[in-house]
Amino acid sequence: MKNPDWSQLTFGYYPTDYNVRCEYKDGKWGELQLSQDTNINIHMASSCLHYGQEAFEGLKAFRGKDGKIRLFRPEENARRLADSAHGIMMAEFPVEKFLEAVKMVVKANEHFVPPYESGASLYIRPLLIGVGPLVGVKPASEYMFLVFVTPVGPYFKDGFKPTPMAIMRGYDRAAPLGTGTIKVGGNYAASLKPGHIAHEKGYSAVLFLDAKEKKYLDECGPANFFGIKNNTYITPDSPSILPSITNKSLCQIAEDLGMKVERRHIPVEELETFEEAGACGTAAVISPILRVDDLDENKSYVFSKDGKAGPISTKMYETLRGIQYGDVEDKHGWVTIIE
Ligand SMILES: *Cc1c(COP(=O)(O)O)cnc(C)c1O
C-alpha cells in the first residue's frame, strides 16, 4: 500500500500492509503471525458475535523530530486488556506477548507512521475475541488476538477547540456492578444510541451520569471527564468508568505542574464551579469542553466564553503531546522507543 496524503488524514480507516494475529487453542497461545489478509475467518457460532465476548485496546505510535518511533505506556494497555479478559472470562493474552505483537505490527508498517511535522500518528488497535462453535451462554474455549494499525490525522484539524456536550438521563452506558471498568465492545453498543442522538442535536458527546443515582458525573462516552478549579485537577471516582491511561497520565502531569489532584464523586451541580473542563483519552488526548447542556433540567454550564481552551487544559495538552513526540522530557519513563 502507498503512503496516504498525511495532511488529509482523519480519524478513519486507511489500509496498511500488515496485521498481527495469534490463536488460542487447546489451552495455549500459539505463535504471533504477520498477515496481509484484512479479513478473519471465524465460526458463525463464535461467542464474540453472539454474546459480546470481545475486548479491545487503543494506543498510538508517534514519530519524533529525531525520526524515532515512540509508543506511549503500551504496558498499561497490555495489563488493561488482561483485566478486560478476566472480566468477561476470556483467555488472558500475556503482557509480554502483547508488547511483542504491538512492536511487530508497528515495525512491519513503519512507513505508515506519519512524519513528525504532520501532527498525525499511527493508531494501534488490538482486540481479543472468543471464537469457535458455541451456542449456549458460556465462555468460548478458543480465542483470537489481533492487532492492526491505521494512520490517523491530528484530532483537532482546526486547532485545539472546545466542543459542547450533553447530559441525557434517559440512557446509561454501564452499570455500577457491570462491565464499565473494562474495555469491552458491549459498553460501546449501549452508548451508540445516546451518542447518535447527541450528535444529531449538535453535541460532540454525551456526558453520562452514574447509572444508579444519576447524581454524579461518570464519563464522556469513550473518554474520561476532568474539571479544573482552584489549581486542582478533579476527575470522577466511579465503579462504572474505564480507567483511562491518558487520565492517569494527566493526574501525574497536573501534580508535576504543581496542582492538586482529586479523584472523587463529582455532583452534577459542581459543574457550575469549574474554571475548565475536558474529556481525555488516546484519540484526542484532551477534548476541551465548551459547554455542558443538561437537557433534562434545561440548564447549561459554560466553560469557555471565547470558544478557546483554557490555559491549564492547554498546558496539560501540550505537555502530554510533547512527551509522546519526544519534545518534552519523559520523566516517568512512559515512552518506549521502537528499535
Ligand atoms: C478507551 C476508553 C477511554 C480512554 O482511555 P485511554 O486509555 O486514555 O485511551 C475512556 N473511556 C472509555 C469508555 C474507553 O473505552
Side-chain angles (χ1 to χ4, degrees), residues 22-40:
C22 191
E23 290 182 359
Y24 180 90
K25 275 196 181 118
D26 304 320
K28 57 179 188 296
W29 286 103
E31 295 295 311
L32 297 179
Q33 296 190 333
L34 206 54
S35 171
Q36 284 196 283
D37 190 354
T38 51
N39 292 321
I40 54 172

Side-chain angles (χ1 to χ4, degrees), residues 5-14 121 150-155 157:
D5 175 352
W6 305 115
S7 67
Q8 292 302 311
L9 284 174
T10 58
F11 204 89
Y13 179 81
Y14 185 92
S121 58
T150 191
V152 293
Y155 199 84
K157 287 179 293 295

Side-chain angles (χ1 to χ4, degrees), residues 37-331:
D37 190 354
T38 51
N39 292 321
I40 54 172
N41 189 6
I42 59 172
H43 198 284
M44 63 185 174
S46 291
S47 64
C48 64
L49 301 176
H50 298 253
Y51 307 127
Q53 211 189 12
E54 184 272 352
F56 67 99
E57 273 304 327
L59 64 161
K60 283 174 173 172
F62 307 87
R63 195 183 293 279
K65 241 182 227 161
D66 54 9
K68 290 183 183 158
I69 301 171
R70 290 168 170 80
L71 295 173
F72 186 71
R73 309 188 81 175
E75 59 294 331
E76 293 280 339
N77 297 93
R79 284 197 281 268
R80 190 168 64 187
L81 183 64
D83 289 344
S84 298
H86 287 297
I88 53 170
M89 301 294 291
M90 296 197 285
E92 179 183 326
F93 193 66
V95 169
E96 281 310 313
K97 223 176 170 89
F98 177 100
L99 296 173
E100 198 189 329
V102 166
K103 287 176 192 164
M104 189 172 174
V105 75
V106 172
K107 274 179 103 152
N109 295 287
E110 204 169 339
H111 71 98
F112 289 103
V113 184
Y116 172 79
E117 304 73 43
S118 65
S121 58
L122 187 71
Y123 186 74
I124 307 166
R125 168 53 58 85
L127 56 149
L128 181 59
I129 59 178
V131 296
L134 187 79
V135 179
V137 180
K138 59 177 187 238
S141 52
E142 295 178 8
Y143 293 88
M144 191 186 281
F145 170 85
L146 292 150
V147 54
F148 65 81
V149 296
T150 191
V152 293
Y155 199 84
F156 298 103
K157 287 179 293 295
D158 318 312
F160 181 53
K161 231 175 131 183
T163 57
M165 296 192 184
I167 291 175
M168 307 186 333
R169 285 176 189 66
Y171 299 89
D172 291 319
R173 187 193 77 95
L177 300 174
T179 52
T181 55
I182 56 176
K183 207 167 176 78
V184 298
N187 295 334
Y188 277 80
S191 76
L192 291 176
K193 193 167 176 184
H196 177 78
I197 294 169
H199 287 153
E200 295 244 288
K201 293 180 188 281
Y203 298 102
S204 64
V206 179
L207 174 49
F208 288 97
L209 300 186
D210 78 285
K212 194 172 175 185
E213 298 187 80
K214 305 273 185 190
K215 274 191 186 163
Y216 306 106
L217 303 181
D218 234 2
E219 65 175 319
C220 315
N224 278 186
F225 173 88
F226 68 84
I228 289 168
K229 65 173 174 188
N230 309 328
N231 201 34
T232 309
Y233 179 92
I234 306 163
T235 193
D237 180 21
S238 158
S240 47
I241 63 176
L242 198 277
S244 153
I245 298 162
T246 311
N247 195 6
K248 188 172 163 179
S249 308
L250 290 174
C251 287
Q252 181 64 57
I253 287 171
E255 239 174 66
D256 294 350
L257 293 173
M259 297 167 70
K260 277 201 297 194
V261 173
E262 292 177 8
R263 212 181 257 280
R264 58 165 171 83
H265 285 343
I266 303 177
V268 184
E269 308 74 48
E270 195 178 342
L271 283 172
E272 196 97 62
T273 66
F274 291 131
E275 296 150 17
E276 298 179 30
C280 61
T282 295
V285 180
I286 289 176
S287 296
I289 303 176
L290 181 69
R291 188 179 82 236
V292 171
D293 289 347
D294 185 331
L295 299 183
D296 309 299
E297 303 281 323
N298 231 334
K299 223 171 149 183
S300 282
Y301 303 93
V302 178
F303 304 105
S304 171
K305 293 201 176 66
D306 58 0
K308 293 201 187 97
I312 299 177
S313 304
T314 305
K315 177 79 188 151
M316 297 185 78
Y317 174 76
E318 285 168 355
T319 306
L320 187 49
R321 266 181 62 100
I323 296 170
Q324 292 171 333
Y325 283 92
D327 295 331
V328 169
E329 188 198 350
D330 175 26
K331 282 197 270 195

